[in-house]
Amino acid sequence: MKIAQIAGFLGSGKTTALMKIVDGLVKSGKKIAIVVNDVGDISVDAKFIEAHGLKAKEISGGCICCQIAGTFAETLAKIYETFNPDIVIVEPSGVAIPWGLKRAAEYSEAKSDVHIEHAPVITLVDGSRIEVLIKAVKRLVETQIREADICFVNKIDAATPEQIKMAEDAIRDFNATAEIKHMSALTGEGIDYAVDAIINRTSPRYDKAREEILLKKEYEGA
């Protein structure tokens, strides 16, 4: 079962983009489940998801990967046993840490016969207000960018060329190896690319040594 994280700080447009991506995955013949947070104003509504013929499990009480890992692992094990999807889309809260969520997802292997693999971690970066976000919550933005495989500069329809370049420069500063693409849920740009990446590509499993390196970089740069 493949886990696909679509991360991004609050207001980055990830919920709208997520549903566009899900539409593309369904049209490609993939069976999809979605795990969402009910924290914050932009969380995907479970009833809305189910109206699209999908399954949703809302986890209350805070950020997914900040809870007891067993809660998330048991959720994934249950989804696997009852629904057996090809892909589980995870919409972390704006303060979730992608590598920590990978580790929590892999705990589900101890609770069922599921084998977890990961799609590339996608982080959406709001091109229309990147400067504000970096000033306000730099460490959170930096962490989600640093741990991404693909960063999409989102809302490019609402951003100026200068803002888009600023977002690209910030991504390169925080993660020199991340792939940088553009996205607009309004025009559809980048959606098909994200769908293809989720279906056909993988991201490494959780690696404690790599996480320690990432954490060291984060706190040395704090």
Side-chain angles (χ1 to χ4, degrees), residues 63-216:
C63 163
I64 288 172
C65 67
C66 290
Q67 298 186 48
I68 297 172
T71 300
F72 184 44
E74 288 166 4
T75 297
L76 291 181
K78 185 67 173 178
I79 288 173
Y80 171 74
E81 291 169 358
T82 60
F83 190 56
N84 193 24
D86 300 306
I87 299 168
V88 178
I89 303 291
V90 180
E91 184 215 11
S93 75
V95 294
I97 299 173
W99 271 79
L101 198 148
K102 278 188 176 184
R103 176 176 56 181
E106 290 167 18
Y107 287 160
S108 66
E109 294 176 333
K111 299 179 179 296
S112 69
D113 64 353
V114 64
H115 172 71
I116 297 296
E117 67 174 0
H118 301 282
V121 174
I122 292 173
T123 293
L124 303 185
V125 180
D126 187 347
S128 67
R129 60 189 186 110
I130 182 63
E131 186 173 15
V132 173
L133 287 174
I134 289 175
K135 287 180 179 178
V137 284
K138 181 177 184 290
R139 179 172 290 175
L140 293 174
V141 173
E142 183 174 353
T143 297
Q144 291 201 342
I145 291 174
R146 180 179 288 130
E147 299 187 6
D149 298 301
I150 306 173
C151 288
F152 284 92
V153 180
N154 197 26
K155 299 184 181 178
I156 60 167
D157 52 278
T160 65
E162 292 76 19
Q163 288 174 319
I164 292 171
K165 184 179 185 306
M166 184 181 297
E168 291 173 341
D169 289 345
I171 292 168
R172 291 191 183 95
D173 285 344
F174 297 148
N175 186 343
T177 63
E179 190 175 355
I180 301 175
K181 295 291 180 179
H182 294 168
M183 181 175 285
S184 167
L186 181 65
T187 67
E189 182 173 350
I191 299 297
D192 288 345
Y193 192 92
V195 169
D196 181 76
I198 289 171
I199 293 173
N200 296 309
R201 294 164 56 182
T202 59
S203 181
R205 285 169 61 88
Y206 173 76
D207 182 331
K208 183 178 180 180
R210 175 160 171 74
E211 185 183 44
E212 288 174 350
I213 290 171
L214 291 170
L215 287 171
K216 184 178 179 181

